[in-house]
Amino acid sequence: MRVRLKDIADKVGVRTSTVSMVLNDHPKAQTFSPATRQKIKATAARLGYIPNAAARALITKRTYNIGFIIPEYASQRWSNQFYSDMLNGIDDVCYKHNYNLIVHCCNLSNAMDFVFPRGISERNIDGLIISNAVSPDILKRFEELKVPCVRIGSPSNITGSIIPELSPDLIRGHILALEYLSRLGHRRIMLFNSGNQHSRFFADKLRSGISGTVLHEKLDLMAFFTSNGKCDESSSLEFITDYFSRDEAERPTAVITNPQTCLGIFNEIKKYNLSCPKHLSLVSNYNFGLFDYIIPGLTSLQYDNAAIAGYSAEKLLDMIDGKDNGKNTALTDFPVTLNIRQSCSNVQL
């Protein structure tokens, strides 16, 4: 027979309402002693209690669903390790707090093309985690729905938003890569990325970050933005076209881009009897586990995307519980390191 709240209450020696508040994490549950709360939860687990989701929602006025959105331009979508790492971190937190996770893939850069996922527009979620770049117009629409939101990804230029932003310290990470390449004698280094507003903002911010430093004096930091707004394996064709359109003395000797484009360039240059790292050094702006096994191993920026996403999920749940108003939060100091492998070498003079 199904275990009822009353069964647990009888075993512990408390009221049924007390059991309900504790098991549903009701704010008033904090008025009971830690020992009582722990005894109720242990008894529920021992008896095999299974919560009734509908009853729980009626009591708490929540759906116990949170949404997670990635941009539709993401290469390979959920099989992309960058986003699957985020998904793992968020899912772990949802499991710990008995929340369900609803995932969507949407256009987050153009409000005219954006369609609210059903779970959000119908208010079937309690909160939302948005990954990577989002247009200000779309963020404004989320705010108007009064759904608690957190954004994770690289730093943005959006000001005045009440939505917290959490990101790794990618500016510092790119500076580590530039310093390393500079020590190897590289002077012409290309940032290769999509042409959206967010990518252009990041390139400007990186240039500002090295302004007035030795790196600024030493390096010619080029920024190349793809014509179709995407940056993936197929973008290597645009790189090759640009590369050979330049005079030899003006061609980049090193490229920093995303993992998929790195692998595309790595394979494409072979068709022209070029090789990495002899003719071109490559640095990925995110670390994939397979980089330890390809030859040459791909040097990459490394940070714990799952941990950052998990932190964002915990913050979102605190916002839902009213423990955190989420305002004016921009955490951009999650550490980034440089994982040096064999894809970069001294410049061939």
Side-chain angles (χ1 to χ4, degrees):
M1 294 180 62
R2 186 183 183 92
V3 178
R4 302 169 300 169
L5 295 177
K6 186 178 183 304
D7 299 327
I8 301 169
D10 290 344
K11 289 287 185 182
V12 179
V14 296
R15 295 180 178 179
T16 303
S17 60
T18 300
V19 174
S20 175
M21 284 187 281
V22 170
L23 294 183
N24 287 299
D25 295 322
H26 193 281
K28 289 185 178 180
Q30 299 302 313
T31 61
F32 307 119
S33 70
T36 297
R37 298 199 301 270
Q38 178 59 34
K39 189 173 183 180
I40 289 171
K41 291 180 179 180
T43 302
R46 178 168 54 82
L47 295 178
Y49 172 70
I50 301 174
N52 184 306
R56 187 183 186 208
L58 286 173
I59 293 169
T60 61
K61 310 300 182 185
R62 295 182 190 167
T63 66
Y64 288 91
N65 298 323
I66 64 172
F68 178 42
I69 295 183
I70 69 166
E72 67 175 4
Y73 61 74
S75 175
Q76 301 171 353
R77 297 193 176 184
W78 296 116
S79 61
N80 182 326
Q81 186 178 325
F82 180 85
Y83 293 104
S84 65
D85 286 346
M86 285 185 182
L87 180 60
N88 287 334
I90 296 168
D91 189 57
D92 286 346
V93 172
C94 288
Y95 180 81
K96 183 173 72 173
H97 293 280
N98 295 317
Y99 267 79
N100 302 307
L101 183 59
I102 300 173
V103 295
H104 298 278
C105 188
C106 303
N107 185 340
L108 293 171
S109 60
N110 187 342
M112 296 298 293
D113 296 336
F114 179 78
V115 178
F116 276 106
R118 284 176 50 193
I120 299 166
S121 57
E122 296 172 5
R123 291 304 303 271
N124 290 330
I125 61 169
D126 298 321
L128 179 67
I129 299 174
I130 310 165
S131 66
N132 228 313
V134 187
S135 80
D137 289 343
I138 292 174
L139 283 184
K140 181 174 174 54
R141 291 170 71 179
F142 285 132
E143 290 174 6
E144 289 170 350
L145 280 177
K146 301 188 184 305
V147 176
C149 293
V150 174
R151 192 191 73 82
I152 50 178
S154 54
S156 78
N157 60 336
I158 298 174
T159 58
S161 173
I162 65 170
I163 296 177
E165 295 190 348
L166 298 93
S167 65
D169 191 356
L170 287 173
I171 296 297
R172 178 56 190 156
H174 278 70
I175 290 175
L176 289 175
L178 293 176
E179 289 173 341
Y180 173 63
L181 291 168
S182 176
R183 291 195 299 271
L184 294 176
H186 293 273
R187 297 294 176 264
R188 300 185 302 279
I189 302 172
M190 177 178 284
L191 295 179
F192 191 93
N193 215 326
S194 63
N196 60 33
Q197 182 182 6
H198 185 75
S199 298
R200 295 175 188 275
F201 164 75
F202 183 83
D204 289 341
K205 191 170 183 180
L206 181 57
R207 285 196 182 100
S208 177
I210 65 173
S211 179
T213 68
V214 174
L215 283 178
H216 178 73
E217 300 297 326
K218 285 185 175 182
L219 301 181
D220 175 12
L221 186 58
M222 314 171 186
F224 184 97
F225 303 110
T226 61
S227 60
N228 61 3
K230 295 184 178 181
C231 196
D232 54 23
E233 295 93 334
S234 63
S235 303
S236 59
L237 297 175
E238 275 200 72
F239 169 78
I240 286 294
T241 300
D242 178 80
Y243 182 86
F244 284 111
S245 71
R246 298 171 183 261
D247 291 336
E248 190 169 346
E250 301 298 323
R251 293 171 184 169
T253 60
V255 178
I256 304 174
T257 186
N258 65 34
Q260 293 85 2
T261 307
C262 273
L263 294 175
I265 292 174
F266 180 83
N267 289 319
E268 191 67 25
I269 62 175
K270 293 178 182 177
K271 300 175 183 177
Y272 302 88
N273 294 319
L274 302 177
S275 65
C276 170
K278 181 179 179 181
H279 300 101
L280 185 69
S281 292
L282 293 174
V283 177
S284 169
N285 59 20
Y286 189 65
N287 185 65
F288 283 5
L290 64 86
F291 293 166
D292 283 321
Y293 302 100
I294 63 175
I295 300 175
L298 194 54
T299 295
S300 60
L301 302 186
Q302 185 161 340
Y303 49 95
D304 195 337
N305 223 14
I308 297 171
Y311 183 93
S312 75
E314 293 281 6
K315 182 173 185 64
L316 179 64
L317 295 184
D318 282 345
M319 291 167 63
I320 293 169
D321 288 338
K323 300 175 184 177
D324 186 337
N325 62 19
K327 293 183 178 179
N328 303 318
T329 301
L331 300 177
T332 61
D333 57 352
F334 294 96
V336 178
T337 58
L338 184 66
N339 193 334
I340 297 174
R341 297 187 179 93
Q342 300 82 39
S343 64
C344 300
S345 66
N346 291 299
V347 174
Q348 301 294 312
L349 300 177

